Amino acid sequence: MKVVVLADTHVNDIGMLPERLRSELKSADLIIHAGDYTGERLLEQLRAAGDFRGVYGNMDPGAIKRELSAKELIEIEGFRIGVTHPPEGGSPVGLLSRVSAKFKGEDPEPEVIIYGHSHEPKKEKIDNVFYLNPGSATGVFPARYSSFGILSIEKGVIRAEIVRV
């Protein structure tokens, strides 16, 4: 299974995403967006592009916040995946602990947590939880470049890749 993960796009149209990302979306089994679309049209286009799940971010307009939740739990091939974007915004300092706190007490807690907000791509494993921030798909400041993520799930193994575009 191929899951394309993006966040912090800050655009209103899928045509404003990098070509490489648009190409990967076409072959995705699932698309996950971790907030800050900022354009309702982009949300509609991602939903039309395939199987889609997403959360809203702190910069999203009210219409998107009414359509999506602040946190999502997804079960994919035996893996429990949490998705969030701190709706309160704030500094990236302490972001990981705020993100982690959103899923404490879930039974069972997710093995993977996808999050946005900092625009900094990151993948790391802490206390048996794999954290993935795909960065900003369009390279919006403070990102140093555009990036997105790909989760591959095969034979009970999950792998993550950050793609720099």
Side-chain angles (χ1 to χ4, degrees), residues 17-58:
L17 299 177
E19 174 58 38
R20 167 82 192 273
L21 173 54
R22 292 194 318 268
S23 176
E24 293 289 351
L25 291 173
K26 291 175 186 172
S27 63
D29 296 304
L30 177 64
I31 301 165
I32 296 176
H33 195 298
D36 279 1
Y37 309 74
T38 66
E40 295 170 58
R41 182 169 182 204
L42 177 61
L43 174 58
E44 293 166 10
Q45 291 170 323
L46 289 172
R47 283 178 165 160
D51 193 5
F52 171 83
R53 301 293 286 269
V55 296
Y56 67 79
N58 62 299

Side-chain angles (χ1 to χ4, degrees), residues 84 86 88-102 115-118 120 122 124 126 131 133:
T84 192
E88 68 281 356
S91 168
V93 175
L95 177 62
L96 202 56
S97 63
R98 293 194 322 261
V99 164
S100 178
K102 292 189 181 299
Y115 66 102
H117 185 60
S118 68
E120 179 184 351
K122 187 175 262 190
E124 60 189 318
I126 301 170
Y131 292 88
N133 183 330

Side-chain angles (χ1 to χ4, degrees), residues 133-160:
N133 183 330
S136 170
T138 55
V140 173
F141 181 82
R144 291 175 280 144
Y145 50 84
S146 300
S147 61
F148 63 94
I150 296 178
L151 287 178
S152 302
I153 305 170
E154 189 176 330
K155 296 180 183 175
V157 176
I158 191 164
R159 291 184 177 84

Side-chain angles (χ1 to χ4, degrees), residues 45-93:
Q45 291 170 323
L46 289 172
R47 283 178 165 160
D51 193 5
F52 171 83
R53 301 293 286 269
V55 296
Y56 67 79
N58 62 299
M59 298 298 289
D60 286 318
I64 290 177
K65 290 179 179 177
R66 287 187 291 277
E67 288 279 325
L68 303 173
S69 63
K71 148 180 138 170
E72 178 105 32
L73 283 164
I74 306 165
E75 185 87 25
I76 304 173
E77 295 191 18
F79 289 96
R80 196 159 160 92
I81 299 174
V83 184
T84 192
H85 184 117
E88 68 281 356
S91 168
V93 175

